[in-house]
Amino acid sequence: MKNKSSKAVIAQAKADCDKLKKQLSVAKVELSKSIKNYKRESDQVLKDIAKQKADLIKFIKNHTAGKDKLTESQFSQQVNGEIMSIGNSFTEALKTLTEA
């Protein structure tokens, strides 16, 4: 009698282990998908930030070359606004990643 019950316990434990392995496999797939999505989103944010920086550099070069009609005050305001926008983009990207 004892032998049958221990075999049943072992069989049940193996079945439970197999079930857990399947659940783990599903969780790994889900996690992998999530990681790919976050990576894709963060890569896009970094590309957008790089474009913002390039546009700002171009704007500064045009201003210093005298290709616009902005006063120094207007120029400073616009540059500061763009720098703040770039900073906010970084902050939002970091916030999104830390909440993941």
Side-chain angles (χ1 to χ4, degrees), residues 48-59 86 90:
D48 293 344
I49 290 170
K51 184 178 179 338
Q52 285 178 299
K53 286 171 39 181
D55 290 346
L56 179 58
I57 290 168
K58 183 178 177 183
F59 172 74
I86 292 169
F90 269 120

Side-chain angles (χ1 to χ4, degrees), residues 28-86:
K28 284 181 179 179
V29 169
E30 295 283 327
L31 182 60
S32 178
K33 287 179 185 177
S34 293
I35 289 170
K36 284 181 184 179
N37 286 337
Y38 282 117
K39 181 164 175 29
R40 184 174 46 248
E41 289 174 20
S42 65
D43 286 348
Q44 184 59 51
V45 168
L46 290 174
K47 285 179 187 177
D48 293 344
I49 290 170
K51 184 178 179 338
Q52 285 178 299
K53 286 171 39 181
D55 290 346
L56 179 58
I57 290 168
K58 183 178 177 183
F59 172 74
I60 291 169
K61 285 181 179 180
N62 284 341
H63 178 75
T64 56
K67 295 182 179 179
D68 64 20
K69 305 288 185 208
L70 296 175
T71 65
E72 286 304 310
S73 176
Q74 291 170 324
F75 170 77
S76 292
Q77 277 185 315
Q78 192 159 345
V79 168
N80 287 335
E82 290 298 320
I83 290 171
M84 288 179 62
S85 176
I86 292 169

